[in-house]
């Protein structure tokens, strides 16, 4: 967030080339005069009562991940509130096995879209990744994004305020993930093992490509990795994107998106009607993620207590843009909005080739995942020029990697092996 100090508009003589969106760059439109926007900004710092910038601090809460899921299982757990530069207060948990000394260093777990850090503990000890890592002697840190019910809001805005939801995952790249990783690094004074899932992989790829975040991590595991979305086969996600429902909802004034809200129901009902599926809420998970092989169906009502959570409508729109354009880039505000934000007609792309070649990465993806297509994985591998290894699970869909009953045997044992010595 920034304070606008000056904005001047000046006519510039000469000709400037204007590129047409989503067309080859050989197609140019000559513009004889162009308004240039000169913006001088300074960061808006958020201050506490003592007049100092907010710092991370421990939190005592009865509704956090530690109390709801972890301590009752016999594990130690601390809750922290971590501020971002733009004023959000993120929830971060540190958990350990009380009997297994954490000798293997810190691991940071980052969830996907419309989720919170609870996704790493919902299946309990012996099954969920956070517990397994703690049992293996790791110092486990769980991060929740700004919209999660397990974060702590904003220093100025309430969740009911439009401004609270004015962000895309670009802001998670620029603010949320760096704030949490720096906090973990400062607390442990060690480089971090990173595990991302779904949007947590997108945020990781983008963040590690700049901001010097890659210097804080030692190894990276990406579960259901997403970067390019050219070949998404999910009927709900693809149809919603190509019907431009994201734009319609933004124009209608929807800012917070939840699948159970009026805007979410409108989107789902429109898509299902278009696909002639009738009421598809009963099998919506499979329609979005693909046919998950290994979820415990008797736990679905339990999962539904905590998932799916809200995200911003702009975040959903950003995903839809990536499906339509095939780019892995920043949010597209339109020509003049892009000029304001990027000083260019087009949003920048994230350059994953700048991720250090020395950074070991494991990509774990499934053959039935309708959000992570094999062609998009190949495209991603072309960009990742370093030490990248692949774990392919033919029968897995998107949700199986975090909630599947067989994920411990199929995925997590190999993840631990990768952390220890390389897969």
């Amino acid at each position: 967030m920034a304070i606008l100090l000056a904005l001047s508009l000046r006519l510039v003589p000469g000709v400037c080339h204007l590129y047409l969106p989503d067309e080859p760059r050989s197609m140019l439109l000559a513009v004889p005069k162009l308004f240039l926007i000169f913006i001088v900004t300074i960061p808006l710092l958020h201050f506490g009562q003592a007049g100092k910038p907010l710092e991370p601090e421990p939190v005592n809460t009865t509704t956090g991940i530690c109390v709801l899921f972890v301590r009752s299982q016999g594990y130690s757990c601390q809750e922290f509130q971590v501020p971002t530069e733009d004023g959000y207060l993120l929830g971060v948990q540190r958990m350990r096995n009380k009997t297994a000394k954490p000798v293997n260093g810190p691991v940071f777990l980052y969830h996907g879209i419309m989720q919170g850090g609870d996704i790493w503990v919902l299946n309990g000890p012996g099954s969920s990744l956070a517990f397994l890592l703690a049992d293996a002697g790791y110092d486990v840190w769980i991060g929740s994004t700004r919209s999660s019910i397990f974060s702590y809001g904003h220093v100025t805005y309430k969740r009911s305020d439009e401004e609270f939801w004015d962000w895309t995952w670009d802001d998670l790249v620029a603010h949320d993930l760096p704030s949490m990783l720096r906090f973990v690094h400062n607390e442990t004074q060690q480089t971090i093992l990173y595990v991302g899932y779904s949007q947590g992989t997108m945020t990781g790829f983008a963040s590690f490509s700049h901001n010097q975040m890659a210097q804080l991590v030692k190894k990276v595991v990406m579960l259901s990795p997403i970067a390019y979305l050219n070949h998404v086969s999910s009927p709900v996600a693809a149809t919603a994107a190509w019907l431009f429902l994201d734009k319609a909802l933004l124009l209608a004034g929807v800012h917070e998106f939840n699948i159970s809200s009026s805007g979410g129901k409108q989107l789902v009902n429109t898509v299902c009607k278009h696909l002639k599926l009738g009421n598809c809420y009963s099998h919506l998970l499979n329609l979005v993620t693909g046919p998950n092989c290994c979820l415990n169906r008797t736990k679905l009502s339990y999962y539904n207590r905590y998932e799916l959570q809200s995200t911003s409508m702009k975040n959903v729109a950003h995903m839809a843009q990536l499906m339509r354009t095939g780019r892995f880039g920043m949010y597209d505000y339109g020509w003049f909005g892009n000029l304001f934000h990027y000083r260019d007609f087009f949003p920048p792309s994230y350059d994953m080739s700048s991720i250090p070649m020395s950074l070991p990465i494991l990509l774990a993806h499934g053959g039935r995942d309708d959000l992570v297509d094999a062609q998009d994985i190949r495209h991603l591998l072309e960009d990742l020029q370093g030490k990248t290894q692949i774990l392919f699970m033919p029968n897995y869909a998107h949700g199986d990697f975090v909630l599947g009953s067989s994920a411990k045997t199929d995925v997590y044992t190999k993840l631990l092996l990768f952390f220890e010595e390389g897969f």
Side-chain angles (χ1 to χ4, degrees):
M1 193 170 181
I3 298 175
L4 188 62
L5 296 182
L7 186 149
S8 60
L9 301 177
R10 300 177 183 174
L11 288 175
V12 177
V15 174
C16 177
H17 289 121
L18 172 61
Y19 295 95
L20 296 174
D22 303 329
E23 295 291 338
R25 285 192 174 266
S26 59
M27 297 182 65
L28 306 175
L29 177 65
V31 179
K33 297 182 183 292
L34 174 67
F35 287 109
L36 290 184
I37 303 174
F38 296 97
I39 302 166
V40 181
T41 62
I42 60 173
L44 180 62
L45 298 178
H46 297 276
F47 296 90
Q49 292 180 352
K52 296 179 180 179
L54 290 173
E55 298 289 341
E57 60 182 12
V59 176
N60 290 320
T61 176
T62 59
T63 58
I65 288 173
C66 288
V67 170
L68 292 177
F69 305 104
V70 180
R71 289 177 187 157
S72 61
Q73 304 296 336
Y75 292 73
S76 66
C77 190
Q78 296 172 276
E79 294 270 359
F80 296 93
Q81 175 181 284
V82 177
T84 67
E85 291 179 349
D86 55 347
Y88 289 89
L89 304 172
L90 310 178
V92 174
Q93 294 76 37
R94 184 182 199 176
M95 62 174 287
R96 299 176 178 178
N97 185 315
K98 290 181 179 179
T99 61
K101 186 177 180 180
V103 296
N104 291 324
V107 181
F108 182 80
L109 308 178
Y110 200 30
H111 59 83
I113 191 171
M114 292 192 287
Q115 295 174 342
D118 56 300
I119 199 73
W120 303 107
V121 294
L122 278 178
N123 280 344
S127 297
S128 284
L129 180 58
F131 291 107
L132 295 171
L133 287 166
D135 292 343
Y138 288 93
D139 184 7
V140 181
W141 297 79
I142 301 172
S144 289
T145 197
R146 57 184 60 193
S147 56
S148 170
I149 59 175
F150 296 109
S151 284
Y152 298 96
H154 191 277
V155 296
T156 303
Y157 305 122
K158 302 186 295 292
R159 289 180 70 94
S160 58
D161 292 334
E162 173 184 334
E163 293 86 353
F164 183 92
W165 301 100
D166 187 17
W167 53 270
T168 79
W169 64 267
D170 289 335
D171 298 285
L172 312 185
V173 173
H175 300 296
D176 289 30
L177 185 56
S179 296
M180 292 187 285
L181 287 182
R182 290 190 186 107
F183 170 64
V184 174
H185 182 260
N186 290 339
E187 290 290 308
T188 63
Q189 294 300 303
Q190 297 181 66
T191 51
I192 302 162
L193 298 164
Y194 181 86
V195 182
Y197 167 66
S198 192
Q199 186 172 262
T201 70
M202 300 179 74
T203 308
F205 285 133
S207 189
F208 300 151
S209 70
H210 70 297
N211 288 341
Q212 300 181 326
M213 283 297 102
Q215 297 177 9
L216 301 183
V217 295
K218 182 164 55 176
K219 287 186 176 182
V220 172
V221 173
M222 301 302 203
L223 306 176
S224 300
I226 293 178
Y228 298 103
L229 293 169
N230 306 45
H231 301 94
V232 167
S233 56
S234 162
V236 170
T239 302
W242 287 105
L243 288 177
F244 291 84
L245 296 181
D246 55 296
K247 289 192 174 185
L249 290 174
L250 284 173
L251 288 172
V254 176
H255 306 289
E256 175 185 359
F257 180 83
N258 187 295
I259 207 71
S260 300
S261 67
S262 58
K265 290 178 180 178
Q266 181 181 352
L267 184 147
V268 171
N269 290 334
T270 301
V271 169
C272 291
K273 182 178 180 180
H274 182 83
L275 296 173
K276 299 179 180 179
L277 293 176
N279 183 358
C280 58
Y281 268 93
S282 60
H283 50 288
L284 182 62
L285 179 63
N286 284 355
L287 287 172
V288 174
T289 67
N292 294 283
C293 68
C294 307
L295 301 188
N296 185 339
R297 301 293 167 180
T298 64
K299 286 189 172 183
L300 289 181
S301 60
Y302 169 66
Y303 297 152
N304 288 337
R305 289 187 215 167
Y306 308 101
E307 312 293 344
L308 294 165
Q309 300 176 24
S310 292
T311 189
S312 77
M313 191 62 233
K314 281 179 66 176
N315 192 31
V316 174
H318 195 171
M319 295 292 192
Q321 289 177 2
L322 300 186
M323 291 186 215
R324 292 191 290 261
T325 64
R327 298 171 56 254
F328 183 57
M330 296 184 180
Y331 187 79
D332 190 343
Y333 292 90
W335 282 350
F336 295 105
N338 291 337
L339 270 179
F340 180 86
H341 286 274
Y342 312 120
R343 300 185 183 183
D344 196 348
F345 286 109
F346 298 90
S349 293
Y350 290 106
D351 180 14
M352 284 184 289
S353 65
S354 64
I355 296 175
M357 295 182 65
S358 59
L359 181 62
I361 299 175
L362 172 63
L363 305 180
H365 69 107
R368 305 177 77 185
D369 191 335
D370 285 352
L371 297 174
V372 182
D373 187 84
Q375 295 180 74
D376 293 331
I377 290 290
R378 286 194 291 271
H379 191 175
L380 172 60
L381 286 171
E382 291 173 2
D383 285 351
L384 297 174
Q385 301 177 7
K387 303 176 181 179
T388 305
Q389 301 179 49
I390 298 292
L391 173 61
F392 177 63
M393 301 301 302
N395 295 323
Y396 271 42
H398 205 72
D400 290 314
F401 285 93
V402 286
L403 294 177
S405 58
S406 60
K408 173 185 176 181
T409 303
D410 296 338
V411 180
Y412 301 157
T413 54
K414 297 176 178 65
L415 180 155
L416 288 167
L417 183 63
F418 172 76
F419 279 165
E420 292 166 7
E421 57 189 46
F423 171 57

